[in-house]
Amino acid sequence: MSAVASVTTIAGKPLGIAAAHASGLIGLDAYGVQVEVCCTRGPAFFQMVGLPEGAVRESRVRVASALSRMGVLLDEYAITVNLAPADIKKTSTALDFALAIGILASLGRIPPHRLDSTLLLGELSLDGGLRAVRGVLPQLQGAMQRKLAVAIVPSANGAEAGLVQGLSVFSADTLQAAVDHLRGDRSLGKVAPTVLSLSDDQCGGGDLKYVRGQNSARRAMEVAASGGHNLLMIGPPGAGKTLLARLLPTILPPLSFEEALETTAVFSVAGLVPSEQGVITTRPFRAPHHSVSDAGLVGGGSIPRPGDVSLAHNGVLFLDELAEFRRSALEALRQPLEDGQVVIARARGTLTFPARPMFVAALNPCPCGYFMHPTRHCRCTPMQIQRYRMRLSGPLLDRLDVHVALMPVEVNSLISGVAAEDSATVRERVTAAREVQLLRFRKGEVRARSNAELGSTDLEKVAVLDGASRRLIESAVETLGLSARAYTRIRRVARTIADLQASERIHSAHIAEAIQGRLLDREQRAY
């Protein structure tokens, strides 16, 4: 419905009807909202229909205060507002702006044709200022799909709005400035395109060159980063698990433009995009505390918001002390790690958030942490160790592609002046391996951008096993009792190892290294 205004009379009293374009979000998907306003002279009342939630119902107070600063007193009118479509709950304070403009248009203060094809987003303060709102980027993208040509957003959302191309976007600080623009009295400033400057510094200046020892863990990190595989590090306290996990982003390639837009959209819905920057330029790193709730980890809530697994999309999700997390929260991760998305079902509908992070976990070998430690005595009984390990289900561990054991670093390695390989050097190899995978995707050879997402059909094309490799993996499946999922993940990891070595074919050495990465599946534990 385009913005319209009509004037009729009821019992000799003028009636004004107008409509303004707004927007709402279901997950990351935007839908159009028509704010229809009917104003008449008569006994003062304000009613709103169309399933408004509490924050939307309270908008009448903010709108009334903001309009009073412009000399418009709502207690002189009988106002009815319909938020269409009326069968979807409206939860966003971003409707404030469209509601105020709709009221002014219904009163004849704004030419109604100026509201045609114009999206209005913004929360009002009591003095008429426009405040930033969540989800501007996906809502502007949705406006383009609905063939709207113009949008007006708060100035604080200007940098984020500048990411959208093909839509004329203006920014305003106050309601009065927007009204002047719509009247044609004074034009608003057009939002300048946001220049996307992607950073190579993924972790605040940290670097692998400062890490001494742990060569096997460094190799496991490189393999996992090259293919986007999930990684589990097992070792005693102080072995460097957390340090290595936090340095993992330093060896990942910079975000592509498409990845930056995807990541920014998720952060925008969560209200976490820096207003001065407007875009996420580095791969996200999320490390929730083990007390995190199920909704905090995977998303949800009364008003569904993305959880840490979605906020880590295109980045790293790190769970330190994995066995201390709630069992229900860990089990809720299984579906996102397998499908690459979080699906939240509610009675009124289903919404989806993307969730393709690298999942990295750290785990102590036992409750006290010193099982099979070379110098420290473990105080745990066999029953305690068994109970500790039982906190992690087999299906979850199956989804961890690479397992690596860390042992304490010898003091000679700590005090030696020999510098280790730095992050930039490792990142070059990781980037080269990922480019190989992207090239396969662009050529149409596979349907996945990374090896971690390869399906069975894709594996048969790009991970063909020769005779020696096939015998080796068959032996491992029989000896270790590997599941079909573990078998598939071994082939994916082997494909990544081959890519790192610029090998078109998978050889038995690649399969052997991939099997070595299934630490928890082996009968002889390394811890």
Side-chain angles (χ1 to χ4, degrees), residues 59-69 72-74:
S59 65
R60 63 178 296 274
V61 179
R62 296 187 292 272
V63 169
S65 177
L67 292 180
S68 69
R69 305 277 294 191
V72 179
L73 301 179
L74 295 189

Side-chain angles (χ1 to χ4, degrees), residues 8-15 38 40-41:
T8 59
T9 59
I10 295 180
K13 298 179 181 179
L15 169 66
C38 173
T40 64
R41 290 280 186 179

Side-chain angles (χ1 to χ4, degrees), residues 179-398:
V179 171
D180 291 342
H181 173 82
L182 292 170
R183 285 175 177 168
D185 298 336
R186 182 182 301 172
S187 295
L188 291 171
K190 198 170 183 179
V191 171
T194 298
V195 178
L196 190 60
S197 178
L198 298 175
S199 173
D200 284 340
D201 182 8
Q202 300 286 339
C203 201
D207 200 295
L208 276 177
K209 67 182 180 182
Y210 301 117
V211 178
R212 301 289 187 262
Q214 302 299 7
N215 293 330
S216 60
R218 292 169 64 103
R219 172 62 177 176
M221 285 175 57
E222 182 176 341
V223 171
S226 298
H229 303 290
N230 301 325
L231 174 65
L232 174 65
M233 293 183 286
I234 307 169
K241 303 185 296 295
T242 302
L243 173 63
L244 288 169
R246 293 189 178 277
L247 289 175
L248 181 58
T250 67
I251 64 174
L252 294 175
L255 287 169
S256 66
F257 181 76
E258 293 76 12
E259 288 174 330
L261 286 183
E262 291 175 0
T263 306
T264 300
V266 177
F267 273 68
S268 179
V269 170
L272 298 177
V273 177
S275 59
E276 68 282 356
Q277 187 176 356
V279 61
I280 303 301
T281 59
T282 59
R283 293 190 181 274
F285 180 89
R286 305 290 296 184
H289 189 261
H290 62 76
S291 61
V292 66
S293 66
D294 298 8
L297 187 59
V298 300
S302 56
I303 300 176
R305 294 277 189 261
D308 278 302
V309 69
S310 294
L311 293 171
H313 181 60
N314 292 322
V316 176
L317 173 66
F318 175 49
L319 300 189
D320 202 359
E321 303 294 347
L322 183 65
E324 302 300 330
F325 282 77
R326 290 187 178 93
R327 178 71 176 256
S328 59
L330 294 180
E331 295 306 301
L333 274 179
R334 287 162 50 180
Q335 179 261 336
L337 292 179
E338 192 71 24
D339 300 338
Q341 62 183 12
V342 174
V343 179
I344 301 174
R346 294 289 185 268
R348 290 186 174 272
T350 301
L351 54 88
T352 302
F353 292 115
R356 289 200 180 277
M358 275 188 63
F359 176 46
V360 181
L363 178 67
N364 288 332
C366 66
C368 78
Y370 296 107
F371 180 62
M372 295 192 71
H373 192 281
T375 59
R376 301 284 297 270
H377 177 67
C378 176
R379 303 185 303 271
C380 305
T381 65
M383 182 61 69
Q384 288 174 324
I385 295 175
Q386 183 180 8
R387 288 176 179 173
Y388 183 77
R389 295 176 183 174
M390 289 294 291
R391 296 180 188 177
L392 306 177
S393 68
L396 177 65
L397 294 177
D398 247 2

Side-chain angles (χ1 to χ4, degrees), residues 406-488:
L406 286 76
M407 296 304 288
V409 180
E410 295 181 357
V411 66
N412 291 336
S413 298
L414 292 175
I415 64 177
S416 68
V418 180
E421 195 173 38
D422 62 13
S423 294
T425 303
V426 179
R427 184 168 61 244
E428 289 178 3
R429 295 196 295 267
V430 170
T431 302
R434 289 209 174 193
E435 285 297 330
V436 172
Q437 298 162 43
L438 280 175
L439 185 59
R440 292 195 196 103
F441 172 75
R442 290 165 183 160
K443 287 182 176 180
E445 297 177 12
V446 296
R447 293 170 292 178
R449 292 177 178 268
S450 67
N451 287 338
E453 302 170 19
L454 292 174
S456 299
T457 303
D458 292 335
L459 285 172
E460 294 303 323
K461 296 177 181 178
V462 300
V464 180
L465 302 176
D466 58 23
S469 299
R470 187 176 301 278
R471 288 191 295 272
L472 181 59
I473 198 170
E474 288 176 353
S475 175
V477 169
E478 293 178 2
T479 303
L480 305 178
L482 299 179
S483 66
R485 182 185 293 113
Y487 165 80
T488 299

